[in-house]
Amino acid sequence: MQLSHGGESSPTGVPVARWSVEQVLALAPDAASRRAGTRLGATGPWSGTGCDASGALWGLCKGSGSTPYRTVVDTTGPAYACSCPSRKFPCKHALGLLLLRASDDGAFRPAEPAGWAEEWLAGRRTRAARESSPAAGGDSARGPADPVAARRRAERRAERVTGGARELEQRLADLLRGGLAATDRSGYGLWEETAARMVDAQAPGLAARVRELGVISGSGSGWPVRLLEECGLLHLLDTAWLGRDRLPGPLAATVRTRVGLPVSPEGPPVRDQWLVLAQYDTPDGKIVARRIWLYGRGSGRTALLLSFGAAGRPPAHALPVGATIDAELTPYPGGGRLRAELGEQFGATTAAGPPPGIAAAAAPAVYGNALRDDPWLDAWPVTLRDVIPVPSKDGWQLADAHADTHAETHADAHASTRADARTGSALPIAPAALSRPGLWKLVALSGGGPVTVFGEIGHRGFDPFAAWDPGEREEGAGTTGGPVVQLV
């Protein structure tokens, strides 16, 4: 996937990135919208299309009625508006307009926006200016919330969570006293009832971890060991909450987040050129969680945008993978301070090359250091440079392209022999990634050569999310802003 041609010039002199077909399809709220948008990604139904240097696109799409749908997209948001009745964002018409732009540059004539498009764009700019100005009637104009009432509400909830944590400690003790093997006969009802008690205690984080325990029993060979490990982590979280007053500030903030208490972003916002590394959705019942990973080209920070969608509505954020946005992010408290809130955006999205990476052998130490700040951390984001996907006995692994060169010189040409020569400097690919089509995209992109891969490393292995073409150079060494392949 790539941002083709480097884009056009914006009024600030920054190139406006043209999105690729794959980037556009990644924004679709569901598979039906993706299919419908693909059918509209040709010139046939469109008229009056145009674009401007600020990153706006507009056009009229012929539908079943006599009046065409008016569709406008601000690619710097991105944000969408359409006169169709759909409640999906982006709708199929917005997707079709973006797909037409990605595949047929000649279909768009540079011009001033049509009147109806300019009205929406001007309103969007006015709202952005109002929200960024406290004097214009933002949150501060309503005055601060009552701090005394807020403190009392927080204290009452903390008391309920404490009661839930103590009850959970007693249940864990009873579980161990009766033997872990007995849980296989109790069924999932035991865990669901305990999770419901944690919900009543207003500790959704504890409830989620209890539900995860329920799927371990009978999950295959060695499940009692895995169950004991997770029970130990849950006990650690319980005791950390009960003794939170004695913890360092950052660790106490992590515990509050893990238990499930709401937190707000804090600290000064960080403005940077943020490279969009990956975007993927994770369904959880009726709610869909969207995770967007970003890398700050100036600060060197990695950040996570987390948003949710419910009742058929997509999550709030959608950013094109492989692009760079000039924006402010405000971090949330807690160990690692990875999660952040997206603030004001400046200018347009631009093309960018891969971020700097580390060798595969160094990645476990990075994850280990992160565990010191958050012992309940399942995985940590990392970019690997010069790795080669190779088959292993249990699946696949990412091997360091420069490791054990001498041993490989004398190795047999068979792929499994070459893989064994690099085993000491290889990371196993996580089981969750082995069944995804992205694994074969990664293998095809590599073609036996080194690639740069972004993903998460955890105790189950490395989960790849995006990879860059082998010919691309690292940031700081003259990147050419070329193709990135999404693997999730």
Side-chain angles (χ1 to χ4, degrees):
M1 176 181 63
Q2 70 185 70
L3 299 169
S4 55
H5 309 313
E8 304 85 17
S9 295
S10 72
T12 60
V14 178
V16 178
R18 275 185 56 207
W19 298 357
S20 71
V21 171
E22 189 175 8
Q23 282 178 304
V24 175
L25 293 177
L27 300 176
D30 52 40
S33 298
R34 192 176 298 115
R35 291 191 296 268
T38 300
R39 289 194 294 269
L40 295 174
T43 56
W46 292 98
S47 62
T49 54
C51 62
D52 68 7
S54 70
L57 307 174
W58 59 90
L60 302 173
C61 186
K62 180 176 176 55
S64 56
S66 58
T67 303
Y69 295 118
R70 296 176 172 182
T71 307
V72 57
V73 177
D74 180 1
T75 60
T76 64
Y80 324 91
C82 186
S83 60
C84 75
S86 175
R87 299 182 63 185
K88 297 179 180 180
F89 296 95
C91 68
K92 63 181 181 181
H93 304 100
L95 290 170
L97 187 67
L98 286 168
L99 288 170
L100 177 62
R101 174 64 170 149
S103 59
D104 188 356
D105 190 28
F108 289 81
R109 178 176 56 87
E112 291 297 319
W116 54 269
E118 174 58 31
E119 182 179 356
W120 179 79
L121 291 168
R124 176 171 162 76
R125 289 191 291 264
T126 300
R127 288 191 299 272
R130 184 185 304 120
E131 292 171 358
S132 63
S133 174
D139 291 341
S140 60
R142 294 192 294 267
D146 183 354
V148 176
R151 185 176 66 253
R152 289 174 179 171
R153 287 194 298 270
E155 290 173 351
R156 287 195 296 269
R157 179 166 186 177
E159 290 175 358
R160 286 192 285 269
V161 173
T162 297
R166 287 172 175 161
E167 179 179 348
L168 183 55
E169 278 295 282
Q170 183 60 51
R171 294 191 177 214
L172 288 175
D174 293 343
L175 173 67
L176 295 177
R177 189 178 300 111
L180 291 179
T183 61
D184 191 23
R185 298 189 297 270
S186 302
Y188 189 74
L190 167 69
W191 305 106
E192 185 57 39
E193 190 270 337
T194 304
R197 294 289 298 158
M198 296 304 103
V199 172
D200 293 340
Q202 292 188 295
L206 293 179
R209 298 191 76 91
V210 168
R211 290 191 177 98
E212 291 175 359
L213 296 181
V215 301
I216 297 177
S217 300
S219 60
S221 176
W223 69 263
V225 174
R226 295 191 295 274
L227 181 59
L228 180 60
E229 292 173 348
E230 295 301 323
C231 286
L233 286 172
L234 186 54
H235 166 68
L236 181 64
L237 183 56
D238 273 344
T239 54
W241 169 261
L242 297 175
R244 62 192 181 280
D245 294 338
R246 300 188 299 273
L247 298 178
L251 183 56
T254 298
V255 170
R256 288 193 293 270
T257 300
R258 290 295 182 182
V259 166
L261 295 186
V263 294
S264 300
E266 62 182 32
V270 179
R271 180 176 177 179
D272 206 338
Q273 298 286 329
W274 297 97
L275 170 63
V276 184
L277 297 170
Q279 173 180 296
Y280 62 97
D281 295 345
T282 304
D284 184 7
K286 296 182 179 180
I287 296 177
V288 175
R290 173 166 294 169
R291 290 170 171 81
I292 302 178
W293 285 106
L294 305 173
Y295 171 77
R297 297 170 62 182
S299 63
R301 297 178 62 162
T302 301
L304 172 66
L305 302 182
L306 186 61
S307 58
F308 300 91
R313 298 184 64 87
H317 298 307
L319 297 174
V321 176
T324 296
I325 60 171
D326 182 3
E328 289 183 341
L329 297 185
T330 303
Y332 281 78
R337 296 173 66 86
L338 282 178
R339 187 184 174 192
E341 182 175 85
L342 180 62
E344 185 175 359
Q345 299 184 53
F346 311 88
T349 56
T350 60
I358 62 175
V366 173
Y367 175 52
N369 289 334
L371 284 173
R372 293 186 300 185
D373 296 326
D374 185 353
W376 305 275
L377 193 67
D378 289 327
W380 186 259
V382 67
T383 300
L384 305 179
R385 70 167 188 267
D386 295 336
V387 291
I388 302 173
V390 294
S392 64
K393 182 177 66 175
D394 299 320
W396 284 81
Q397 58 186 3
L398 291 174
D400 190 336
H402 305 299
D404 209 348
T405 304
H406 178 74
E408 190 169 287
T409 300
H410 298 284
D412 185 83
H414 194 271
S416 62
T417 307
R418 294 200 304 272
D420 291 340
R422 292 196 183 100
T423 300
S425 299
L427 293 176
I429 292 181
L434 296 178
S435 59
R436 293 200 303 257
L439 173 62
W440 302 109
K441 291 183 181 180
L442 177 60
V443 174
L445 179 70
S446 166
V451 291
T452 297
V453 184
F454 169 77
E456 293 179 356
I457 181 172
H459 59 280
R460 296 181 179 88
F462 183 83
D463 196 351
F465 295 159
W468 282 262
D469 185 274
E472 297 305 316
R473 290 167 287 173
E474 286 188 3
E475 187 173 306
T479 60
T480 57
V484 54
V485 174
Q486 295 187 75
L487 307 176
V488 289

